[in-house]
Structure formats: structure tokens, C-alpha cells
Amino acid sequence: MSSRFWRVAALGAVAALSLGLAACSSNGGAGEGGGASSDPIKFGVALPDTGNSAQYGEYFRQGLDLALEQINDDGGIGGRSVELVYEDTQADPAQAPQVAQKFVDDESILAVLGDFGTPATSAASQIYQDSGLVQFAFSASGPDVTDPGDFVFATWVSQEFEAPRLAAFAAETGTSAAVFYHDTDWGQETYGFFQEGEEESGLEEVYSTAYDPESTDFRPLLLAAKAENPEVIVLISYAADGALITSQARELGIDTPIVGISSIYNQQFIDLAGEAAEGVQTLSYFTPENDDPEVQQFIADFEAATGEVTPSDYAIRAYDALNAVAQGAERADELTRQGLRDALDDGEPFTSVLYGEYRLDDTRRVSDAEQFPLVIADGAFTLK
């Protein structure tokens, strides 16, 4: 998708340069992250390179590296190349503020993308807000992510909208549910919105439990759920822990249908759960079966770059996020931290693999988007 956008943008940039870029302050002002007109444009990335969530940092890099290569191959931003500066937070709320301060203190950084998950993202938000540095969150779905202020943006649809939709989707499979959800702020908030959806969809909850996502034995919880005879099991999980719950359920002979929230859309879920993944259902904003030519081009480009046939949801979100920030930088009146913030919040649309074309709402986030119903069949996520 982005290659076509960047070819068009590059032509516009050439036209602007021919009118006298050397004398223009736009996209070339010194200070506040802008740098000299010959300097690369730098964006920071806060992500987990190590720790329990390191796999997600790898997904981030896959998407970001592909987007970066395409942007620079198409002329960069206003003729300037783009660089990414990575910092490891381990997705730890205790470490994220330190990384945020490091980015804030580096005047060459124009904006920061990341972190993984709502807790680590939100732990750093006030630092970015108070310092006037854009935090562009693409992997945080908590309803209050952008509340710290107008320098915080988010592109994952809030669980306020997604969780009730999951309840309605689960109700299509069974009328009674056992619900497993993260014992974290994200999990508890999502579960609360899911319960609201239960009431609206007529789904009866016969069992629920919060769980530590780093646990390795879910059998006692699964046996307790089985005793209540649910018609569907709902996972408010990430890919790794969701896969473990799924595989252990099947090991125990529990053949109840399983429906998971969109964050299980990840090849890792299938790889870890193996045959137990067959028949698991989810809702996702992306499917490889989308015949949109731009989506198919992205899939081909991703496979060529990584060797992987199916991009993870997180790689796609990272890819889209860098393209969105770069699109904002292209249309900024002045390429400073403030100028980029204003351009991202100007109401103009962004192009995206995940959502097609979208606009940010008045809370600077994607408020809603279409999801595809998927089921795992023959080791792949397929349209239901």
C-alpha cells in the first residue's frame, strides 16, 4: 500500500523543492526534532527487545523495517531519509518512563512509536505529553490511552468497542460462556466491556476467571470451567498464553468451541497450539484473503522481506504506524515536534493496510473499524 502513496508524495516533494527548499522553514527547521535540511529525520521506537514480550518486539521490527525501507526507497520525507532509533523497555511499565525521558532529551527525535501493550504505553504517556513529544501508540487498546493529552495518539480500536463485539461474536457459537481474561489492567478493563456486550447479546456467563498471563498450567482453571458446561470458551488473551490455554483444554478432552479476542490473530498462536488451534475463532481487522490489491502487495512485500507468508497483526500495525507518522510529517507546515503533532491531528485521512483509509477521531485514535470473522483451518486463519 505505502509504495504507491510514497511515489505520489515524492513527486510532490520534488515540486516543493524546485520552488526553493533551501529558503523554506517547512520540513527543514532546526531544533525540536527538525534538524537541518540535510539531516535524516529520526523517529524513536519504544519496544520489548528482551524479556517475556520480546517476540512482539520482533514483530514490531519486521513491520517497521519494511515500512522504513519503502519510505526511503521512495525518496524519504521531503527528500530527507528517515532513521529509527530503537530503545528496549521490555514492555515493563517501570522501565518505559526512563526510555521516554531518554527520547525527550534527544532533540533529534521528532516522534516516538510504541510501546507494546497498554500498561507500558500508558506508563510513559505523561512524560511525552508534558515534554511536547508525540507518542504514537499502535499496540495499546485501553480506553483511556490518549487521555494524558494532545500529543498522544493511538490506532488500536478501544476495547470499549471491540470487547462487546467479541461477546456478540461468541454468542453466535454458544449461549453460555466460560471467560478467561488477563489479570492485568488491560484484561480487567476489556472483561468489563465484554460483560456489557454479554448483556446486549444475550450471552450467559457461567464461569469466569482472571489469570496470570505468565502462568504455564491452566488445567485447574479449565477443569473448573468444564464443570459449568459452557457452550463456548472465550479468551481475552495474547497469542502465547491463549495458545497454551487452548492446547491444555484439548489435552484434557475439553472440546468446547473457543473464541479469542483479536490479539490472538498471530501465527505464533497456531505454531504454539498446533493441532489444538484447529477450529478456534477470532475477529481480526486483517485477513490474507482480503483481495484488495494493496493488501496483496503488502503480503508479497512482507514475505520477500521476512520469508514469512503470514504477517502478524503487530507487524502490520507497526508498518501502518510508521507510514501514518511519515504521512503526517509530509503534510506538516513545519517539521518540528509541534508541527508534526498538528499535522497528525488535522483531520486528514491516513492510508493503511489494516484499515484501508481512516481518520483519527477527536480523541486522536481510531474509534471503530470493520473486523473479519476468522476460523483456524488447516493451520491458517481463514474467513469464517
Side-chain angles (χ1 to χ4, degrees), residues 122-137:
S122 296
S125 295
Q126 200 61 54
I127 293 173
Y128 291 118
Q129 176 64 35
D130 292 346
S131 303
L133 177 61
V134 165
Q135 180 190 38
F136 201 88

Side-chain angles (χ1 to χ4, degrees), residues 60 114-118 121 136-141 155-156 238 314 317:
F60 284 10
D115 202 335
F116 172 68
T118 300
T121 300
F136 201 88
F138 58 88
S139 174
S141 60
T155 55
W156 198 311
Y238 292 156
Y314 295 94
R317 289 180 181 281

Side-chain angles (χ1 to χ4, degrees), residues 160-177:
E160 182 178 359
F161 299 96
E162 185 171 321
R165 186 182 298 147
L166 175 67
F169 183 58
E172 296 175 7
T173 298
T175 60
S176 60

Side-chain angles (χ1 to χ4, degrees), residues 11-22:
L11 291 173
V14 169
L17 287 168
S18 68
L19 294 176
L21 180 61

Side-chain angles (χ1 to χ4, degrees), residues 258-313:
I258 296 175
V259 173
I261 202 163
S262 66
S263 49
I264 73 163
Y265 175 80
N266 192 322
Q267 187 62 36
Q268 182 189 31
F269 181 91
I270 296 174
D271 293 343
L272 292 176
E275 292 184 3
E278 292 292 301
V280 172
Q281 302 173 54
T282 188
L283 292 168
S284 175
Y285 300 98
F286 181 84
T287 171
E289 295 180 77
N290 186 340
D291 59 5
D292 185 316
E294 305 293 354
V295 172
Q296 292 304 311
Q297 184 62 56
F298 166 76
I299 293 172
D301 291 344
F302 186 86
E303 182 178 6
T306 67
E308 297 186 11
V309 176
T310 305
S312 77
D313 189 42

